[in-house]
Amino acid sequence: LNKRIAKSIFRSAGLLVVDDVLLCKGEAFTTDQILERLGAATVVKPTSEGSSIGVTICHSKKELLKGIDTAFHHDEEVLVERFVNGKEMTCCVLGNKSLEALPVIEIIPNPQYTFFDYQAKYTPGATSEICPARISRDETEAVQSCAVRAHRALQCRDWSRTDMILYEGKVYVLETNTIPGMTETSLVPLAARTAGMTFSQLMDRLIGLCLERGKK
């Protein structure tokens, strides 16, 4: 859940992550230095939150200050990241020692949402989730490879779902969901269904993975 620690692990594993600046509550910072390092467009997020809570996309110094203030209401640490305007992808991985990447999902929020925020995530019909993603075979393999590497780097168990941005042929890992949504309308079941698994078969697969791990 801690994005700062996860990004450090991703970097150590050779995965590409977005440049960022870490802010701590009570410590001085200047927006000019942040913008000089990251560029005019930024993403501000609490270090340890989920479901895009407290996340803001900023395009000016005023928006950046407001976004930082919002994020600090949710955490003692805040990450300000360079905004990468690419295609948002997510990829589910099943397994422990032997890993399987499911079909890649492309996420397209309704134009009324600036990004895949809390409302876009949980409002029915607010987001188009296309599976398999409309990307080339090489891009698909690259995204799946990054999801598998992220799963392994974080030592995830049984299943995970990694969110990424595909931009100019490069895959930037955003974060890994270690307990992703598992309702029949969630993304993991969507990817499993595209791979030919029913919801019940997916549940059986996950239970089998847990039992397999328990025996060891």
Side-chain angles (χ1 to χ4, degrees):
L1 189 63
N2 188 297
K3 296 173 178 61
R4 172 179 56 81
I5 295 173
K7 288 184 74 171
S8 178
I9 293 171
F10 291 151
R11 288 189 184 98
S12 297
L15 291 162
L16 191 61
V17 295
V18 180
D19 291 340
D20 64 66
V21 171
L22 177 68
L23 305 178
C24 300
K25 185 172 284 188
E27 295 184 2
F29 68 88
T30 67
T31 52
D32 288 337
Q33 288 180 333
I34 293 173
L35 295 174
E36 182 179 352
R37 176 172 172 179
L38 302 179
T42 56
V43 181
V44 184
K45 56 184 69 172
T47 297
S48 298
E49 264 295 355
S51 297
S52 298
I53 294 171
V55 176
T56 308
I57 293 182
C58 310
H59 297 280
S60 68
K61 184 185 295 187
K62 182 178 179 180
E63 289 180 354
L64 177 57
L65 282 169
K66 185 177 178 180
I68 291 171
D69 183 61
T70 297
F72 271 133
H73 276 87
H74 297 276
D75 204 338
E76 297 292 310
E77 290 185 340
V78 166
L79 276 179
V80 183
E81 297 181 331
R82 183 190 306 276
F83 176 65
V84 179
N85 190 20
K87 295 181 179 179
E88 185 162 358
M89 305 285 156
T90 194
C91 185
C92 315
V93 174
L94 303 179
N96 293 305
K97 185 175 181 181
S98 177
L99 303 180
E100 174 191 356
L102 296 181
V104 178
I105 301 171
E106 180 179 356
I107 298 171
I108 306 176
N110 186 294
Q112 73 183 86
Y113 300 96
T114 56
F115 68 105
F116 195 42
D117 63 7
Y118 186 90
Q119 295 300 322
K121 280 181 168 72
Y122 299 111
T123 303
T127 303
S128 297
E129 297 152 352
I130 301 170
C131 189
R134 301 168 301 176
I135 54 179
S136 70
R137 181 174 179 179
D138 287 347
E139 289 172 330
T140 296
E141 291 176 353
V143 170
Q144 289 176 320
S145 174
C146 287
V148 167
R149 291 165 62 193
H151 181 103
R152 185 170 286 121
L154 294 179
Q155 299 182 30
C156 296
R157 301 184 302 182
D158 308 323
W159 91 112
S160 70
R161 200 195 81 230
T162 296
D163 299 333
M164 291 157 277
I165 292 288
L166 181 61
Y167 178 69
E168 294 184 346
K170 296 180 180 179
V171 180
Y172 293 85
V173 176
L174 299 179
E175 63 179 291
T176 295
N177 300 274
T178 55
I179 310 179
M182 289 302 298
T183 70
E184 293 193 26
T185 57
S186 296
L187 296 175
V188 175
L190 170 60
R193 188 161 60 248
T194 304
M197 275 185 277
T198 65
F199 189 74
S200 294
Q201 288 171 331
L202 174 60
M203 295 298 100
D204 288 342
R205 176 77 177 276
L206 293 176
I207 292 168
L209 288 167
C210 293
L211 293 173
E212 174 188 273
R213 178 165 46 80
K215 290 177 182 178
K216 295 178 181 178

